[in-house]
Amino acid sequence: MRSGHLALSARGVQMQYRDRGTGKTLLAIENVDLDVPDGAFVSLLGPSGCGKSTFLKIVNGLLPATSGEIKLHRVAKGREDAMVFQDAALFPWYSVLDNVAYGLVCAGVTRGEARRRAAPFIELVGLKGFDDKYPYQLSGGMQQRANLARALAVDSAILLMDEPFAALDAQTRELMQAELLRIWNAAKKTVLFVTHQIDEAVYLSDRVVVMAARPGKVIADIEIDLPRPRPLSVKRTPEFAVYEERIWRLIAGEYEQARAAPDAAS
Amino acid sequence: MIAAREAPAVQLLGRLRSRNERVFYGVIGFVGLTLAWEIAANSGLFRKSLLSTPSAIWKAGVTDIGAGTLWPHVATSLEEFAIGFIVSLAIAIPLGLAIGWFRRIDYLLNGLLAALNATPNVALIPLIILVAGIGFESKVIVVFLSTFFAVVVTTFTGVQSIARRHLEITRSFGGSRWLAFRTVALPSTTPYILSGVRIGAGRALVGVVSRFDVWRPELHR
Amino acid sequence: MTEAAAFRVIRARARRKRHPLRRWYRGNERAILSAAGIVSFIAAWQVGSDAGLISKFFFSSPVEVAAAGALEVQKARFWEDVKISASELAIGSLAAVLLAVPLGIAIGWYRRVSLTFDPWLNFFNALPRVALIPLVVLWVGLGFEMKTIIVFFGGFFSIILPTVEGVRTVDRQLLDVARSFRAPERLIFTSLVIPGTLPFIVSGIRLAVGRVLAGVIIAEFYAQTAGLGVMIARSEASLQSDRMLFGVLIFTVLGIVLTEAVGIAERYLQRWRPSLDLEEAA
Ligand SMILES: Nc1ncnc2c1ncn2[C@@H]1O[C@H](COP(=O)(O)OP(=O)(O)O)[C@@H](O)[C@H]1O
Ligand SMILES: [Mg+2]
């Protein structure tokens, strides 16, 4: 099923922001190395502000890194990567169908053709019958389904997901996690998933890459050896708890260190 | 209870008030103002020729509309308004979009626009009269000026307020800047443009009706 | 397969060494282009009128306007006019702020005051201010008082309406917090209502700048007694477009200076708001 090559390979990625007004610089991420095999589900886990979004934006081409290099495995047609944003990511003036078709329109497909090709993805994410609704008529969970469908519709090899479920309530979030695994399985994609929730990362991923802040860097890379398919009940197993505990310790340890040396952290 | 012993009229008034306080006080304000105006004008304190009364205005309005003498004036005013307004929109909206969308055009024009905007329109009336007289053209120019900056400024503000996230989406999927302009900038700026048009229309109406009333050439020619 | 064919490579932005002149331009682009815009406008005006493309009779030329200005500032009459216009402006504006702010806060805070005053406010605000002039003239004549009152009206309504709006939109949630801590009315006022309303008041004052300047000019046109408005009007009558434009320019500069001053005040009062102009750059 998996072809064995790397879908994404990052080396020494560093990002320094500069405030135009004051000229002050901020090292958002420092020397990040990351390999994502084709077809894998990898999560980037870390506290808010550790540079997860920054890294995804660099991969997506929204931001130029200050140093380092990222290689994406070429695909025969279409884009290598597509982004699923966290919130406010649908155009309020477009219907669900037009929003889902938008990625294709950006790729130069005509609007009619884009709509035709978007339709099956609306069905895949479970929004059948909502084509003509506007975003304000959808619940948060449904909006994120549409958001996901837009990224799926451009048929990229890699999905970049930036905390897509962070704004949802706990029950909806769990439901969407299970849905995402179903869709991932059906669509055969590589996923790079960003989250700050330990249980979400463990439940979804083949591998969890743990990051620390100030400056953002990778502090651990953990294989999640839980069998698939994973029903939500996996979260109540002792194996799952062990993974959660292990990652929690890593993050808490990093936090203690940062507190012990506040000057080094700033 | 004290309220129970009050006269029925007072009770009624009280009920009316509590039922719809907003309308109650509003009506009192409006009626009070109109009455005060009527009384002041009739009191003989002011000359009738200078201070009209609400009842006289009402009567004159009814007579004019009946006799049809009002309509030619209204038609001319409407024409002045329409021409000045449409030309103004045709320039102001594209200009507002351009300075909002292209940073360098903004930089190039902001000093000039700020200066023109800071100049009170009325200060330009003598120039307008010098160039175009007191007729049709000068009214059109006044309408143009009254609308222009309101529309430029609101359109510009609209473009500046586009959600960054929305622009990011187009870029993220590889769409061009022109596509972002059509699919993101235009729809999200439209409400701002409309409110600019509304504000501009209000100012232009005031302009067409009254701007030249302060100009009294007989005093200094 | 070669590596170039198999991968799309995203490299870091190369740190090019730029020419110092170019770096200086990038750092000051805004100021440079603004200046360029104004300079080319003035140059085009001068060249156009020298070439006969722009009528000198109507629009004069920058050099002539400057010359007229240089002549004007040597006249005692001009400084007399400046003094009169400035006093009208200062007194009328100050009175407008001092009355509009407390009254606006009262109207916004006390429901009944508001319901009684609202129609009046809306009526007077909708009324074109020039329509008030004859009334004011009847009341106080054509002199200094009338002009000051017209200035006052221009400023008063621009400030009071946003002030009322500001008090009415004070954050309900913060109000609940204050009340749940049994904050006395006075404290609610000083810690919540006033700070919440300040930005509205300032934006009203920003609006008032244009209105009071227009008020001075309108009133002076009408009264034809003294002041810079009269100087402009008299220049028009004697067909001295250079002197007229010099007069207009004074109001332009005044408008810019006052607006800028309000802007500075605004930025100071809003300093607790996070600034949004972080740029993505390295
Ligand atoms: N456009 C920007 N300009 C300046 N600093 C930024 C910008 N975007 C993010 N940062 C800073 O970079 C760091 C990482 O941000 P981000 O990548 O958004 O983190 P995360 O997604 O992990 O919460 C933070 O300290 C943030 O304040
Ligand atoms: Mg983030």
Side-chain angles (χ1 to χ4, degrees), chain B residues 21 25-26 29 33 50-51 103-104 107-108 110 112 115 119 122-123 126-127 130 210 214-216 219-220, chain C residues 29-30 33-34 37 41 58 111-112 115-116 120 123 130 135 138 217-218 221-222 224 236-237 239 248 252:
Chain B
E21 210 169 7
Y25 283 100
L33 179 73
L50 281 167
L51 183 59
R103 195 176 35 125
R104 293 212 167 96
Y107 290 173
L108 206 56
N110 74 33
L112 268 183
T119 309
V122 280
L127 178 64
L130 189 67
S210 68
V214 292
W215 191 251
R216 302 191 303 159
L219 282 181
H220 57 88
Chain C
E29 191 174 32
R30 190 191 174 96
L33 287 181
S34 294
F41 173 81
F58 291 144
R111 225 169 106 70
R112 300 222 162 129
L115 292 171
T116 316
W120 296 74
F123 177 83
V130 287
L135 294 180
L138 281 175
I217 300 170
I218 290 175
F221 279 177
Y222 192 89
Q224 296 290 344
E236 193 269 342
L239 306 177
V248 172
T252 304

Side-chain angles (χ1 to χ4, degrees), chain C residues 7-273:
Chain C
F7 292 101
R8 181 156 71 86
V9 182
I10 304 166
R11 280 179 227 285
R13 177 168 28 196
R15 261 201 163 287
R16 267 175 300 160
K17 192 88 189 105
R18 289 220 182 86
H19 193 276
L21 209 65
R22 204 196 152 102
R23 275 223 308 278
W24 173 80
Y25 172 80
R26 293 286 302 194
N28 301 287
E29 191 174 32
R30 190 191 174 96
I32 293 169
L33 287 181
S34 294
I38 292 174
V39 168
S40 33
F41 173 81
I42 294 173
W45 181 10
Q46 184 67 46
V47 171
S49 65
D50 284 344
L53 295 170
I54 298 169
S55 159
K56 270 208 166 136
F57 175 70
F58 291 144
F59 299 109
S60 187
S61 77
V63 170
E64 284 177 15
V65 171
L71 210 65
E72 201 62 28
V73 294
Q74 293 168 23
K75 296 185 198 159
R77 175 70 192 264
F78 170 75
W79 292 109
E80 202 52 42
D81 283 338
V82 169
K83 219 168 76 190
I84 288 173
S85 293
S87 318
E88 290 160 1
L89 206 57
I91 298 173
S93 311
L94 201 66
V97 175
L98 291 183
L99 279 170
V101 170
L103 192 59
I105 290 176
I107 292 176
W109 192 245
Y110 300 106
R111 225 169 106 70
R112 300 222 162 129
V113 180
S114 116
L115 292 171
T116 316
F117 272 94
D118 265 0
W120 296 74
L121 278 184
N122 291 331
F123 177 83
F124 273 109
N125 188 48
L127 206 64
R129 263 164 301 283
V130 287
L132 287 174
I133 297 184
L135 294 180
V136 180
V137 171
L138 281 175
W139 182 25
V140 296
L142 278 169
F144 184 81
E145 293 88 346
M146 168 277 211
K147 294 184 281 181
T148 307
I149 290 171
I150 296 301
V151 171
F152 167 81
F153 275 130
F156 181 78
F157 289 105
S158 322
I159 298 169
I160 194 166
L161 293 172
T163 304
V164 172
E165 181 69 18
V167 177
R168 282 186 191 155
T169 50
V170 163
D171 193 330
R172 295 281 130 198
Q173 216 161 343
L174 292 181
L175 218 52
D176 283 346
V177 172
R179 294 213 167 108
S180 85
F181 280 106
R182 311 274 185 279
E185 189 95 339
R186 237 186 91 92
L187 185 64
I188 292 183
F189 244 83
T190 53
S191 66
L192 236 149
V193 179
I194 303 291
T197 309
L198 260 178
F200 288 78
I201 297 175
V202 176
S203 85
I205 293 177
R206 177 195 287 286
L207 215 72
V209 167
R211 298 273 182 87
V212 294
L213 288 177
V216 174
I217 300 170
I218 290 175
E220 289 179 351
F221 279 177
Y222 192 89
Q224 296 290 344
T225 48
L228 286 174
V230 179
M231 174 218 153
I232 294 175
R234 238 185 274 111
S235 310
E236 193 269 342
S238 54
L239 306 177
Q240 293 170 277
S241 58
D242 48 1
R243 186 162 157 250
M244 175 176 78
L245 286 172
F246 174 68
V248 172
L249 198 63
I250 294 176
F251 283 99
T252 304
V253 172
L254 209 53
I256 293 174
V257 169
L258 291 176
T259 309
E260 204 46 47
V262 176
I264 290 169
E266 200 162 32
R267 278 192 291 280
Y268 175 74
L269 290 170
Q270 306 261 39
R271 65 193 180 284
W272 47 270
R273 264 181 226 280

Side-chain angles (χ1 to χ4, degrees), chain A residues 27 30 213-217 254 256-266:
Chain A
L27 191 57
E30 183 184 46
R214 288 155 204 267
K217 56 185 174 293
E254 192 64 33
E256 287 300 326
Q257 258 181 30
R259 230 175 41 153
D263 292 331
S266 62

Side-chain angles (χ1 to χ4, degrees), chain A residues 62-262:
Chain A
L62 285 173
L63 266 183
T66 34
S67 62
E69 184 179 279
I70 295 172
K71 289 183 193 163
L72 297 178
H73 196 268
R74 259 190 207 288
V75 291
K77 63 176 177 56
R79 288 178 62 85
E80 285 79 18
D81 58 309
M83 179 91 107
V84 180
F85 294 92
Q86 179 179 329
D87 49 20
L90 296 173
F91 295 140
W93 50 85
Y94 277 166
S95 66
V96 167
L97 181 60
D98 281 331
N99 266 300
V100 174
Y102 190 74
L104 290 163
V105 171
C106 284
V109 179
T110 62
R111 197 167 286 263
E113 171 70 5
R115 284 186 179 147
R116 203 183 54 70
R117 276 161 60 179
F121 292 96
I122 292 181
E123 200 171 332
L124 176 65
V125 299
L127 280 180
K128 197 173 180 208
F130 287 90
D131 302 41
D132 296 331
K133 294 274 188 281
Y134 286 96
Y136 79 92
Q137 294 169 305
L138 305 183
S139 67
M142 284 155 84
Q143 288 183 20
Q144 281 317 74
R145 287 172 194 261
N147 204 345
L148 176 58
R150 178 177 60 199
L152 290 170
V154 298
D155 199 20
S156 65
I158 308 177
L159 272 186
L160 306 171
M161 306 185 72
D162 193 357
E163 308 203 32
F165 307 144
L168 304 180
D169 62 78
Q171 284 84 13
T172 311
R173 191 186 309 137
E174 295 229 314
L175 231 72
M176 289 298 295
Q177 289 163 0
E179 274 289 280
L180 176 59
L181 284 188
R182 175 184 70 75
I183 292 163
W184 172 63
N185 208 37
K188 305 255 178 297
K189 301 260 178 205
T190 309
V191 177
L192 183 55
F193 188 96
V194 158
T195 180
H196 61 254
Q197 294 212 299
I198 299 174
D199 78 309
E200 183 167 80
V202 174
Y203 171 68
L204 292 170
S205 315
D206 298 324
R207 259 172 56 213
V208 176
V209 175
V210 184
M211 290 181 71
R214 288 155 204 267
K217 56 185 174 293
V218 175
I219 54 169
D221 191 332
I222 297 164
E223 293 271 347
I224 306 297
D225 206 4
L226 296 168
R228 291 189 191 268
R230 295 177 187 163
L232 277 167
S233 56
V234 173
K235 293 191 179 185
R236 259 74 69 187
T237 62
E239 293 85 347
F240 193 92
V242 170
Y243 280 120
E244 275 190 310
E245 174 69 17
R246 197 172 138 202
I247 294 171
W248 167 244
R249 272 165 195 258
L250 272 166
I251 293 173
E254 192 64 33
Y255 177 73
E256 287 300 326
Q257 258 181 30
R259 230 175 41 153

Side-chain angles (χ1 to χ4, degrees), chain B residues 15-161:
Chain B
R15 256 209 310 280
L16 270 179
R17 193 180 64 181
S18 55
R19 187 97 37 90
N20 210 332
E21 210 169 7
R22 180 167 294 277
V23 175
F24 181 85
Y25 283 100
V27 167
I28 286 196
F30 182 75
V31 170
L33 179 73
T34 313
L35 274 182
W37 181 3
E38 183 81 37
I39 290 167
N42 285 323
S43 66
L45 244 55
F46 309 103
R47 270 175 295 154
K48 268 277 163 56
S49 61
L50 281 167
L51 183 59
S52 193
T53 65
S55 58
I57 290 171
W58 176 256
K59 243 183 280 165
V62 171
T63 318
D64 267 353
I65 290 168
T69 50
L70 190 65
W71 297 122
H73 296 293
V74 172
T76 318
S77 287
L78 264 181
E79 206 179 327
E80 291 157 356
F81 176 80
I83 295 175
F85 193 59
I86 289 169
V87 173
S88 194
L89 295 187
I91 300 175
I93 295 175
L95 182 63
L97 289 171
I99 59 178
W101 192 247
F102 299 106
R103 195 176 35 125
R104 293 212 167 96
I105 297 187
D106 172 27
Y107 290 173
L108 206 56
L109 294 181
N110 74 33
L112 268 183
L113 287 173
L116 285 176
N117 195 19
T119 309
N121 274 346
V122 280
L124 295 174
I125 286 184
L127 178 64
I128 295 169
I129 289 171
L130 189 67
V131 174
I134 322 190
F136 188 78
E137 288 91 347
S138 53
K139 287 244 179 178
V140 171
I141 295 173
V142 167
V143 170
F144 175 90
L145 285 178
S146 332
T147 311
F148 188 73
F149 287 104
V151 178
V152 171
V153 170
T154 43
T155 306
F156 173 77
T157 310
V159 181
Q160 297 287 300
S161 329

